C-alpha cells in the first residue's frame, strides 16, 4: 500500500508537503522524467552516429571460452576491457568494464544461480578490420568489427543482432573531481608509480579531459540532493534487431504486452518505486524491475538480459530498413544505466521456449509453492482484530466459498513494529492461528523492511547493535519516514544481515507464530515517504557501495532473506510462501509477486493480463493483481468480473484499501455471491492442473500464464494479443473485462487445432476469431484438443481438505483423435519431492482408443490416497464398450454415458489409484 | 420348489423390510432408500442399481444417491446429532478432516478424531434457551413499562408543545403591537425634530407630540419600564438616557449645533423611538428562540419511536462504551461520538432513520453525516438493537474505515417470540 492514512497524525504532519500533492491519479511530478535524471539526459543527448570506440585487435586474448579485447574511446583515450563468452545453451555473454577503473565498479552478485558454464570459442578468421568467431550452433557466428567497434551476431548470411551499430556505446569512466584533482593526482601517482610502472609505459595516449556537464557531481530533484561523490558513472549500449517488429519484457510497467516505441516520449524506466495510484499505458517505473527483453519474429525469438541493478532506462525505436530488396522492419533498443558495468547475456533462442530455458539457466526457475498458495487468498487492509478474522473465516463457511489464506496488513502489528502483534486486537495470535489450522487454513502477516527507530523494540535494537542498517552519506544510520514514522532500513545486501533476518522467523523469535503463518514483504523498493521519488537517497551506503548501485536489488534480497527464514524455521522441511512487491531478475526463486496498488477500475482489470504475461516471460510465473482493485470501490459487476479473471491468474488474492467499504464476497446480494462462489470453485477444481503447471515452471522455467505467441510463435496474429492468454498450453482464457459486456471475441489459435468450450464442450476450429456471447456467469475458457487436464471436482473448504480426493480426467481429443497430459502429485508442502524424490509424475496418453497412465519418473516414490473417479472424453464417437486394465493384468468393464450432441463420453468410476499404471480401452 | 420360493420370499422380505442403514439421511427420507434392486434418484432423473447408493460416485444430478459421501457437489449429509439438534451439512464437509457434526458422524473415514459433543451442546443450548426465555419475559415486562412511560412522556411533550405554541401566539400579538409602536414612535420623533427646527408658533405641534408619546398597557410611558427580557441584566450598565453614553459620531453630528438639543419634547420623542426599537428587537429575539424550541420539539415528536413508542425513553439518554484507545457515546435519536484518550472528539454520525430489513425495521438505527474522513466518506454508524433486561452498549466495531457498528441491548427491543422453528435445522 502506498497511501498513508489519517490515523498517522504525526507522520501526516511531517509529510504534508508530500501528501498534498496526492490526487486521483499518480502525481507525475513526484517521479523523474529522463530529462530530470541527469545521467539519462546526458546519455540520451548522445545521438546515433559514428562510435568513438575502436577495438584494439592486438590486445585480443583468447582462452578456451573467453575472449578479451581492449576498446579505446578515440575522443578521451579511455580504455575499456571487452570480455566475450560463449555460454552453454546457445547464449553469448558480453561484458564491458573500464580497463583500469579508478575504483571498482559494481557487479551484480547473487542474481545468477551459478557462474554460467561456458563452451569453447573458435576463432574462424581475423584481419585488420576485425575477426570472426564461431558460436557453435549451426552457422551462428560473432563478428567483431574494429573501427568503429561493433559486434554482429549472424546466422548464416543473416544478421540476428548488432551491438553498437548505432554508436551508442557510452561508458562514463570514473574520474576525480576537478577541484580535488591536483591533490588526489599527486597521491595517486605516489601510490601507483611503482606498481603500475610497466603498464604505464604501455599506455601511449594520455586520457584527455572531458567537459563537465550538469548533474555529474551533484543533482537535486525537488528538495532532495544527491551528493554523487563518485561523479558520473553511467553506461549505455545499443542493440539492433533487423527484421524484428515485436519486442516484449522489461517489466514492471503498467503497459501493453508488446513494447511500444519510445521515440519522442519517455523511455521505459526500471527503478523500483512505490508509485501512488499508478497510471495505465505509461512507461514510468513501478515496484519491480527485470532487465530482460525478448524479441520475436515468426522465425526466431531472442532475448537480452542486461544485468545491472542501478536505475535503468530503455529506449525502443522501430524503423523499416531496406534489406535484401524488401521493406523489413527493425527494432533498436538502447539501454542506459546509472552505474555498474555492461554485462549482457544474449539469448539466441531460436524458439521462444528456448529463450525462456536459456534465461532460466542463468537466474533459476520459479520456486515451487505450497499447493495451498495456488488457492484463493482473502486479504484486506485491514482485518481489524481476532474477532474480525474469525467472523470472515466463518463467513466463507456460511456462504460455502472455499479459501486457503487470510491476510493481515500493517495494522495487526504493535505500532507498525513488524514481528509483533497489536496487544489489544491480536492478543492471542496462536489461538487465532490454531482456529484457522483446525479448518486447514492459513494466514499471512506483513513484514516490511523498514524498522521503527525505537530503542525498546527488539528488532531495532539488534539491528543497531549489529550495525546492520544502511548508512547515510555521512556514515550515520540512514533514517526515513515510513508507516511507523521514523524508520531504519536494514542492509539486505549484506549476507550476514540476511542470515540474521532469517533467524527472526523462528517460532521462538517471531512470537505467537505457527507453521500455518506465512509472510508478505511490502514496501521493499524500498519505500521512503520523505525520500527522493518516495525511495532511498542514492548516496546512502551499503557497506562500500552506494544505494545507487544496488537499488533494484533491495526488494530481491528482502524476499530472499524472508523465504530463507521460513525454510529455516521448519528445519528445512517446509516450502516457504513469501509475496513481494519489489523484485528483480531472479526473484522468481523466492516466491510470488503482485502488481502492487492498482485501482478498482475496468482498465486495471484489463491491465492485469499484460502485466502478468510480461512477468511470466521473464521467469516470474507466480503473479497476480489485487482482485477488486486496491484503491477505490468496485461496482459489484467489476468485482465479479475480477474474481472471474483472477480465478484464472496464477496468484489469486482479493485485497482492498483501508478507506474502502468492506467487500467480502457475500456482501453484494445472493446473485453476486453465487457468481463469485462459482468463480472460486472453478479455481479449486483446477488446482491439480495449476499445481502441475507450477511444477513444470519450477523444473523448466516455462511460464504458467503464457501469451499466445509463446505457443504459436509462427502466427503473427497472436503477437499482440493481450486480452486473452494460455495457462500452460492447454487452456485458453479470455476473461470478460468490459463493463456491461454482452460478448467477447476470442482468437482461437492454431491451424488444424480444435478448442472445446470447457463449460459447454462445444467444439471450435483453431485459427479463427470466435464471438462468444456472455452473461454475468460467463468465463470464456477453452481446452485445447489433444490435451488431458486433471481436475478435482469435490470442492471443499480449503485445498488441504481436498488432498485425498479423487481426480476427474478431461480428455479432449484433437483432429487425429489423440490427447496427452500429465499428472503431478506430492505432499503439497514439503521439499521431500526434491530431497527424497517423493512424488508421482504420470504421463496420460490417449491414442487409438486407449487411454493409459504411465510413470514419467520411475525413480520417485510416493503414495497417494487419491484415485481416478471419472474420465470424460470430449470429441469422441460412442464406443461399444470400455474396459479398464490394471497393472496386474486384470480387466473389468466400465460403465459409461454418452451424449452424442457434444460427443461427450463419461466413464464411470475407474477407481484406480492415481499413482498406478492402468489402461482404458474404448471399443 | 416350494421351499425355494419360500426362501426367496423371506430373503426378499428381509431385504425390503429390514433396509440397510443408509448413511447420511434423516428418518423422513428413509422411504426413498428402501433397499431394492435399483434406486430412483429423488428428482426422478435416473434409475441406478442400489449398490451405487453411497458408493462414493455421484450418479444423480440432485446428489440423492450419495447422502453419506462427498461425491456429489450439491449433496447434503444428515447429522443425527443425538442429544442436540439434527442438521444437514454440505456433502463437501464429509470426511474432510474437520468435525462438523457434534456426533462426529461426518468423519467416519478420516484421520480426524472427533469428540462427541452433542450432549454438552444440547445442555448448553437448553440452558441458553432458558436464559433467553427468562430474559425475554423479563424484558417484555420492562418493555411494557417503557411503553407506558413512553406514553406519559409523549403526552408531556405534546402538552409542552401546545404550551409553547400558545406562548408563541401571544408573542405574535405582542410583536404586531410593538411593530406598530415602533413605527409610530419613529414618526413622532420625526415630527418633534421638525418642530424643534422651526421654533416659532410650533407649541401646538409640540403638545400634540407629547400627547402622542406612546403609553404601555398600564398607561405608563414605555420608556420608564422594560417588560420584556433584560430583567437580569443588572451587571451591565444600562445604556439609556440615565447613564452617560458615548454618542455615535452620527448622532453627535446630528445633535451638535442642533438648536433642538435641549428641547425636552424632542428628547422624549427620541428616547421613546429608541426604546420602541429595542423592545421590538428583544421581542423578536424571544420569538425566534421560541420558534426554534417549537421546531426542535416538533422534530423530536416527528421521529418514529417504534410501533408503541417503546424507544422514546431513549431520547435524551446517552450510552458509553470503551474499545481499545477510544470511548464511544451513543445518544439515541441524536448522535454518536468517539473520544480518543487524548480527548479529541469526533462525530460518528447524526440520527438518520431506522434501517433494519423490512421484517425487522426497528432492529437497526442509522446515524450518518458524521465528520468526513481524510480521502474518504463521511463517518456513519449502524446500531443494532437486541433484547436485554437493561439498556447498555455491548460492543462497537469499525468494520471498514469510518463505518462504525455498535450493538445496543435494551428491553425496548424485546419482541414476543415468533413460533419457533424447531426440528431439523437446514444450514444449506
Amino acid at each position: 500500500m502506498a497511501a498513508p492514512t489519517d490515523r498517522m497524525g504525526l507522520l501526516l504532519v511531517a509529510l504534508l508537503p508530500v501528501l498534498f500533492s496526492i490526487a486521483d491519479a499518480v502525481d507525475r511530478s513526484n517521479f523523474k522524467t529522463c530529462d530530470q535524471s541527469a545521467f539519462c539526459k546526458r546519455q540520451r543527448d548522445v545521438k546515433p552516429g559514428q562510435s568513438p570506440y575502436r577495438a584494439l585487435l592486438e590486445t585480443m586474448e583468447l582462452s578456451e571460452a573467453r575472449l578479451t579485447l581492449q576498446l579505446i574511446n578515440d575522443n578521451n583515450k579511455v580504455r575499456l576491457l571487452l570480455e566475450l563468452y560463449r555460454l552453454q545453451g546457445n547464449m553469448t555473454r558480453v561484458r564491458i568494464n573500464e580497463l583500469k577503473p579508478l575504483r571498482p565498479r559494481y557487479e551484480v552478485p547473487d542474481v545468477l544461480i551459478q557462474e554460467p558454464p561456458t563452451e569453447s570459442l573458435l576463432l574462424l578468421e581475423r584481419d585488420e578490420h576485425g575477426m570472426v568467431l564461431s558460436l557453435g550452433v549451426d552457422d551462428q557466428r560473432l563478428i567483431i568489427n574494429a573501427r568503429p567497434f561493433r559486434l554482429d551476431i549472424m546466422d548464416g548470411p543473416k544478421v540476428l543482432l548488432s551491438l553498437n551499430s548505432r554508436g551508442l556505446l557510452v561508458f562514463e569512466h570514473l574520474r576525480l573531481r576537478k577541484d580535488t584533482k591536483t591533490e588526489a593526482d599527486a597521491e595517486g601517482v605516489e601510490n601507483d608509480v611503482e606498481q603500475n610502472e610497466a603498464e604505464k609505459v604501455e599506455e601511449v595516449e594520455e586520457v584527455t579531459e572531458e567537459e563537465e556537464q550538469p548533474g555529474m557531481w551533484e543533482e537535486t530533484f525537488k528538495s532532495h540532493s544527491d551528493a554523487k561523490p563518485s561523479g558520473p558513472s553511467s553506461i549505455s549500449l545499443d542493440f539492433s534487431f533487423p527484421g524484428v517488429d515485436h519486442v516484449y519484457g522489461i517489466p514492471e510497467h503498467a503497459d501493453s504486452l508488446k513494447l511500444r516505441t519510445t521515440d519522442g516520449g519517455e523511455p521505459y524506466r526500471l527503478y523500483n518505486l512505490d508509485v501512488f495510484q499508478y497510471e495505465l499505458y505509461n512507461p514510468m517505473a513501478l515496484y519491480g524491475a527485470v532487465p530482460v527483453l525478448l524479441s520475436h519474429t515468426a522465425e526466431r525469438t531472442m532475448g537480452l538480459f542486461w544485468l545491472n541493478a542501478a536505475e535503468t532506462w530503455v529506449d525502443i525505436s522501430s524503423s523499416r530498413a531496406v534489406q535484401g530488396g524488401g521493406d523489413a522492419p527493425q527494432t533498436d533498443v538502447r539501454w542506459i544505466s546509472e552505474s555498474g558495468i555492461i554485462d549482457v547475456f544474449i539469448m539466441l533462442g531460436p524458439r521462444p521456449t528456448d529463450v525462456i530455458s536459456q534465461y532460466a539457466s542463468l537466474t533459476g526457475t520459479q520456486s515451487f509453492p505450497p499447493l495451498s498458495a495456488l488457492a484463493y487468498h482473502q486479504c484486506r487492509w485491514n482485518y481489524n482484530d481476532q474477532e474480525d478474522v474469525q467472523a470472515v473465516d466463518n463467513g466463507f463457511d456460511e456462504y460455502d466459498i472455499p479459501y486457503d489464506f487470510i491476510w493481515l496488513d500493517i495494522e495487526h502489528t504493535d505500532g507498525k513494529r513488524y514481528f509483533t502483534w497489536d496487544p489489544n486486537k491480536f492478543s492471542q495470535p496462536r489461538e487465532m492461528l490454531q482456529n484457522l489450522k483446525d479448518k486447514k487454513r492459513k494466514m499471512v502477516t506483513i513484514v516490511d523492511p523498514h524498522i521503527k527507530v525505537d530503542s525498546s523494540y527488539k528488532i531495532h535494537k539488534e539491528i543497531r547493535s549489529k550495525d546492520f542498517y544502511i548508512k547515510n552519506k555521512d556514515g550515520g544510520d540512514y533514517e526515513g519516514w515510513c508507516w511507523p514514522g521514523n524508520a531504519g532500513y536494514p542492509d539486505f545486501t549484506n549476507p550476514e544481515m540476511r542470515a540474521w533476518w532469517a533467524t527472526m522467523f523462528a517460532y521462538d523469535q517471531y512470537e505467537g507464530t505457527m507453521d500455518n503463518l506465512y509472510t508478505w514483504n511490502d514496501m521493499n523498493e524500498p519505500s521512503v515517504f520523505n525520500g527522493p521519488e518516495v525511495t532511498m537517497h542514492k548516496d546512502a551506503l551499503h557497506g562500500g557501495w552506494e544505494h545507487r548501485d544496488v537499488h533494484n536489488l533491495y526488494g530481491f534480497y528482502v524476499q530472499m532473506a524472508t523465504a530463507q527464514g521460513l525454510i529455516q524455521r521448519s528445519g528445512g522441511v517446509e516450502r516457504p510462501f513469501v509475496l513481494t512487491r519489489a523484485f528483480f531478475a531472479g526473484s522468481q526463486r523466492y516466491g510470488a509477486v503482485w502488481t502492487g496498488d492498482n485501482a478498482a477500475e475496468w482498465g486495471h482489470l484489463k491491465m492485469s493480463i499484460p502485466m502478468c504475461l510480461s512477468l511470466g516471460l521473464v521467469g516470474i510465473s507466480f503473479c497476480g493483481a489485487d482482485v477488486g482493485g486496491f484503491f477505490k470501490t468496485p461496482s459489484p459487476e467489476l468485482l465479479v468480473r475480477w474474481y472471474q479473471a483472477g480465478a484464472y491468474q496464477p496468484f489469486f488474492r482479493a485485497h482492498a484499501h483501508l478507506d474502502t467499504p468492506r467487500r467480502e464476497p457475500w456482501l453484494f446480494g445472493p446473485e453476486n455471491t453465487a457468481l463469485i462462489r462459482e468463480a472460486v470453485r472453478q479455481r479449486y477444481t483446477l488446482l491439480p492442473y495449476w499445481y502441475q503447471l507450477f511444477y513444470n515452471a519450477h523444473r523448466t522455467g516455462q511460464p504458467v500464464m503464457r501469451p499466445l505467441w509463446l505457443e504459436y510463435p509462427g502466427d503473427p496474429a497472436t503477437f499482440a494479443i493481450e486480452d486473452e492468454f494460455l495457462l500452460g498450453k492447454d487452456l485458453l482464457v479470455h476473461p470478460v473485462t468490459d463493463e456491461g459486456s454482452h460478448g467477447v471475441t476470442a482468437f482461437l489459435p492454431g491451424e488444424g487445432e480444435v478448442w472445446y468450450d470447457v463449460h459447454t464442450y462445444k467444439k471450435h476450429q483453431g485459427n479463427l476469431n470466435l464471438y462468444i456471447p456472455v452473461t454475468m456467469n460467463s468465463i470464456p475458457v477453452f481446452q485445447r484438443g489433444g490435451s488431458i487436464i486433471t481436475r478435482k471436482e469435490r470442492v471443499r473448504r480449503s485445498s488441504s481438505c481436498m488432498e485425498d480426493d479423487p481426480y476427474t480426467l478431461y480428455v479432449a481429443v484433437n483432429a487425429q483423435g489423440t490427447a496427452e497430459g500429465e499428472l503431478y502429485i506430492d505432499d503439497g508442502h514439503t521439499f521431500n519431492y526434491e530431497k527424497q524424490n517423493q512424488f508421482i509424475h504420470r504421463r496420460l496418453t490417449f491414442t487409438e482408443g486407449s487411454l493409459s497412465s504411465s510413470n514419467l519418473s520411475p525413480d520417485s516414490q510416493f503414495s497417494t490416497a487419491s484415485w481416478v473417479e471419472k474420465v470424460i472424453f470430449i470429441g469422441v464417437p460412442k464406443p461399444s464398450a470400455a474396459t479398464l486394465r490394471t497393472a496386474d493384468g486384470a480387466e473389468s468393464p466400465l460403465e459409461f454415458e454418452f451424449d452424442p450432441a457434444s460427443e461427450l463420453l463419461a466413464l464411470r468410476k475407474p477407481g484406480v489409484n492415481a499413482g498406478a499404471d492402468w489402461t482404458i480401452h474404448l471399443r | 420348489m416350494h421351499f425355494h420360493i419360500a426362501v426367496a420370499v423371506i430373503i426378499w422380505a428381509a431385504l425390503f423390510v429390514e433396509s440397510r442403514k443408509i448413511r447420511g439421511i434423516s428418518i423422513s427420507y428413509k422411504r426413498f432408500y428402501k433397499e431394492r434392486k435399483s434406486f430412483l434418484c429423488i428428482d426422478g432423473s435416473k434409475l441406478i442399481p442400489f449398490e451405487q447408493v453411497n458408493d462414493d460416485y455421484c450418479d444423480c444430478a440432485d446428489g440423492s444417491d450419495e447422502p453419506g459421501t462427498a461425491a456429489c457437489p450439491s449433496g447434503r449429509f444428515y447429522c443425527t446429532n443425538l442429544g442436540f439438534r439434527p442438521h444437514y451439512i454440505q456433502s463437501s464437509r464429509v470426511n474432510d478432516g474437520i468435525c462438523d457434526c457434534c456426533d462426529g458422524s461426518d468423519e467416519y473415514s478420516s484421520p480426524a478424531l472427533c469428540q462427541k459433543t452433542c450432549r454438552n451442546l444440547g445442555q448448553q443450548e437448553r440452558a441458553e434457551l432458558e436464559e433467553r426465555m427468562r430474559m425475554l419475559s423479563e424484558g417484555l415486562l420492562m418493555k411494557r413499562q417503557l411503553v407506558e412511560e413512553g406514553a406519559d412522556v409523549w403526552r408531556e411533550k405534546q402538552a409542552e408543545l401546545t404550551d409553547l405554541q400558545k406562548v408563541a401566539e401571544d408573542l405574535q400579538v405582542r410583536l404586531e403591537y410593538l411593530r406598530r409602536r415602533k413605527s409610530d414612535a419613529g414618526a413622532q420623533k420625526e415630527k418633534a425634530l421638525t418642530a424643534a427646527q422651526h421654533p416659532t408658533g410650533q407649541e401646538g405641534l409640540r403638545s400634540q407630540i407629547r400627547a402622542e408619546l406612546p403609553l404601555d398597557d398600564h398607561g405608563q410611558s414605555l420608556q420608564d419600564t422594560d417588560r420584556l427580557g433584560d430583567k437580569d441584566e443588572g451587571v451591565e450598565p444600562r445604556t439609556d438616557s440615565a447613564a452617560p453614553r458615548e454618542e455615535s459620531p452620527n448622532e453627535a453630528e446630528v445633535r451638535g449645533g442642533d438648536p433642538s438639543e435641549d428641547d425636552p419634547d424632542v428628547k422624549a420623542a427620541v428616547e421613546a423611538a429608541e426604546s420602541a426599537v429595542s423592545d421590538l428587537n428583544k421581542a423578536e429575539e424571544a420569538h425566534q428562540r421560541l420558534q426554534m424550541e417549537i421546531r426542535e420539539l416538533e422534530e423530536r415528536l416527528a421521529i418514529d419511536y417504534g410501533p408503541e413508542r417503546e424507544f422514546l425513553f431513549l431520547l435524551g439518554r446517552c450510552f458509553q462504551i470503551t474499545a481499545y484507545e477510544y470511548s464511544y457515546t451513543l445518544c439515541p435519536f441524536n448522535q454518536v461520538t468517539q473520544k480518543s484518550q487524548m480527548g479529541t472528539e469526533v462525530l460518528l454520525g447524526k440520527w438518520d432513520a431506522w434501517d433494519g430489513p423490512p421484517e425487522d425495521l426497528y432492529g437497526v438505527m442509522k446515524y450518518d453525516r458524521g465528520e468526513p474522513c481524510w480521502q474518504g466518506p463521511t463517518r456513519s454508524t449502524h446500531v443494532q438493537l437486541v433484547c436485554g433486561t437493561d439498556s447498555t452498549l455491548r460492543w462497537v466495531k469499525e468494520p471498514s474505515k469510518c463505518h462504525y457498528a455498535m450493538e445496543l441491548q435494551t428491553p425496548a427491543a424485546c419482541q414476543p417470540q415468533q413460533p419457533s422453528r424447531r426440528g431439523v435445522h437446514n444450514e444449506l
Side-chain angles (χ1 to χ4, degrees), chain A residues 880-893:
Chain A
S880 56
T883 34
L884 169 72
R885 185 195 180 94
T886 49
D888 57 11
E891 287 201 14
S892 48

Side-chain angles (χ1 to χ4, degrees), chain A residues 504-804:
Chain A
M504 289 299 101
F505 290 89
Y507 299 121
D508 59 347
Q509 291 292 331
Y510 189 170
E511 283 173 31
T513 62
M514 303 198 332
D515 57 1
N516 63 336
L517 181 81
Y518 296 81
T519 310
W520 172 16
N521 293 148
D522 196 359
M523 316 298 278
N524 53 343
E525 293 74 23
S527 178
V528 181
F529 291 160
N530 59 341
E533 304 191 86
V534 202
T535 192
M536 187 165 283
H537 292 74
K538 284 178 175 170
D539 51 16
L541 294 169
H542 300 248
W545 299 107
E546 282 190 296
H547 185 68
R548 180 185 336 277
D549 300 310
V550 305
H551 176 86
N552 284 348
L553 278 176
Y554 191 77
F556 162 90
Y557 277 130
V558 172
Q559 194 190 18
M560 175 198 276
T562 303
Q564 189 54 41
L566 296 193
I567 294 171
Q568 269 171 225
R569 70 173 187 183
S570 73
V573 172
E574 298 287 331
R575 285 177 240 163
F577 170 63
V578 182
L579 177 73
T580 182
R581 192 171 69 182
F583 51 83
F584 189 68
S587 286
Q588 67 269 18
R589 306 198 298 264
Y590 307 112
V593 306
W594 94 108
T595 61
D597 299 345
N598 61 357
E601 293 167 4
W602 291 92
H604 277 267
L605 167 57
K606 267 194 226 307
M607 185 53 76
S608 68
I609 301 172
M611 285 182 84
C612 282
L613 285 176
S614 295
L615 282 166
L617 287 173
V618 300
I620 300 176
S621 266
F622 206 179
C623 167
D626 285 346
V627 169
F630 178 67
F631 292 113
K632 305 186 179 172
T633 301
S635 64
E637 184 191 355
L638 175 57
L639 186 66
V640 166
R641 290 299 189 202
W642 213 317
Y643 268 98
Q644 292 174 338
Y648 286 89
Q649 291 176 3
F651 176 56
F652 182 25
R653 182 187 72 154
H655 187 31
H657 190 280
L658 183 71
D659 287 343
T660 62
R662 285 288 185 131
R663 54 169 97 137
E664 284 70 50
W666 49 87
L667 295 175
F668 305 91
E671 277 178 33
N672 290 312
T673 305
L675 291 168
I676 293 172
R677 177 190 300 122
E678 173 55 24
V680 178
R681 286 177 65 95
Q682 286 186 25
R683 170 63 164 229
Y684 275 72
T685 61
L686 272 172
L687 282 174
Y689 183 62
W690 281 103
Y691 198 48
Q692 176 218 320
L693 289 178
F694 267 88
Y695 178 68
N696 242 326
H698 175 62
R699 292 290 297 269
T700 67
Q702 297 303 321
V704 167
M705 181 174 167
R706 303 176 186 171
L708 268 60
W709 65 262
L710 203 67
E711 293 298 331
Y712 299 89
D715 183 357
T718 63
F719 293 180
I721 290 179
E722 59 177 16
D723 55 359
E724 63 184 59
F725 54 89
L726 293 163
L727 293 178
K729 60 185 183 354
D730 298 336
L731 280 187
L732 183 142
V733 186
H734 188 116
V736 181
T737 57
D738 282 305
E739 188 169 15
S741 178
H742 297 296
V744 297
T745 301
F747 179 69
L748 302 180
E751 186 69 54
E753 203 91 274
V754 290
W755 294 90
Y756 299 92
D757 185 313
V758 300
H759 308 296
T760 64
Y761 306 111
K762 196 167 185 297
K763 183 177 177 175
H764 302 281
Q765 296 302 318
N767 197 27
L768 58 75
N769 282 303
L770 178 71
Y771 179 79
I772 308 148
V774 299
T775 58
M776 269 317 288
N777 59 19
S778 309
I779 315 178
V781 179
F782 300 86
Q783 181 175 349
R784 191 177 57 82
S787 66
I788 301 175
I789 285 181
T790 51
R791 286 188 167 88
K792 280 191 176 180
E793 301 202 308
R794 304 182 179 186
V795 176
R796 308 201 191 230
R797 263 183 278 233
S798 70
S799 68
S800 307
C801 293
M802 297 161 64
E803 187 181 348
D804 292 340

Side-chain angles (χ1 to χ4, degrees), chain A residues 3-7 12 19 22-23 276-277 380 382 384-385 387-388 396-401 422 424-425 438-440 658-662 681 793-798 800-801 805-806 867 869-870 895 897 906-909, chain B residues 46 48-49 51-53 55-59 65-66 69-74 90-100 106-107 111 324-326 372-377 379 395-404 427:
Chain A
T5 77
D6 63 347
R7 291 190 171 171
L12 189 64
L19 298 180
I22 288 168
F276 183 90
Q277 298 192 344
R380 169 175 183 83
N382 214 100
N384 297 334
D385 48 28
E387 218 176 280
D388 199 0
F396 277 92
D397 286 343
E398 189 182 338
Y399 294 94
D400 199 21
I401 300 170
D422 183 298
N424 294 316
K425 299 171 181 169
D438 289 346
K439 288 196 189 165
K440 303 195 179 184
L658 183 71
D659 287 343
T660 62
R662 285 288 185 131
R681 286 177 65 95
E793 301 202 308
R794 304 182 179 186
V795 176
R796 308 201 191 230
R797 263 183 278 233
S798 70
S800 307
C801 293
D805 280 345
W867 45 285
E869 172 173 38
K870 194 192 261 191
E895 282 178 46
E897 286 177 3
L907 299 188
R908 185 184 194 282
K909 211 180 178 188
Chain B
K46 204 172 177 184
I48 58 169
E51 308 88 83
Q52 291 184 7
V53 171
D55 73 337
D56 206 14
Y57 183 89
C58 190
D59 292 288
D65 63 316
E66 297 294 317
T69 76
C72 291
S74 54
Q90 288 98 333
S91 63
S92 67
R93 294 180 190 178
V94 174
N95 291 329
D96 66 347
I98 300 161
C99 307
D100 291 285
D106 59 319
E107 296 300 316
Y324 307 132
E325 66 265 43
Y326 295 103
C373 282
W374 185 76
Q375 275 225 319
R379 289 170 172 81
W395 50 255
V396 60
K397 289 187 229 179
E398 188 183 359
S400 48
K401 202 181 164 203
C402 302
H403 296 285
Y404 296 82
E427 283 196 347

Side-chain angles (χ1 to χ4, degrees), chain A residues 119-192:
Chain A
E119 285 191 275
S120 60
L121 271 171
L122 191 65
L123 186 63
L124 297 177
E125 288 172 51
R126 176 179 181 168
D127 62 18
E128 72 274 22
H129 302 299
M131 50 186 90
V132 180
L133 297 150
S134 165
L135 289 177
V137 180
D138 302 327
D139 209 6
Q140 280 177 193
R141 285 160 301 135
L142 174 69
I143 298 174
I144 303 171
N145 192 66
R147 187 179 203 130
F149 166 66
R150 162 181 173 143
L151 294 177
D152 293 287
I153 294 177
M154 313 284 294
D155 183 18
K158 211 169 156 188
V159 179
L160 298 179
L161 172 67
S162 305
L163 282 70
N164 201 33
S165 57
R166 292 191 300 149
L168 294 171
L169 167 62
V170 179
F171 210 107
E172 291 183 332
H173 62 282
L174 299 179
R175 62 201 81 182
L176 291 167
R177 196 169 183 151
K178 273 187 183 153
D179 43 15
T180 57
K181 194 153 189 179
T182 342
E183 218 179 306
D185 257 355
E187 279 177 38
V189 169
E190 267 175 48
N191 291 338
D192 287 25

Side-chain angles (χ1 to χ4, degrees), chain A residues 33-45 234 267 311 313 315 334 336:
Chain A
T33 60
C34 177
D35 265 358
Q36 289 167 320
S37 185
F39 77 91
C40 187
K41 180 171 167 43
R42 284 199 304 275
Q43 289 275 8
R44 228 187 179 198
D45 284 345
S234 72
E311 180 184 344
W313 300 78
D315 256 322
R334 178 189 194 181
I336 302 169

Side-chain angles (χ1 to χ4, degrees), chain B residues 236-256:
Chain B
E236 217 163 301
R238 296 290 296 266
T239 53
D240 62 10
S241 53
R245 53 184 270 184
E246 277 187 53
E247 291 167 348
S248 77
N250 211 20
E251 280 175 305
E253 194 190 330
V254 172
R255 289 183 180 200

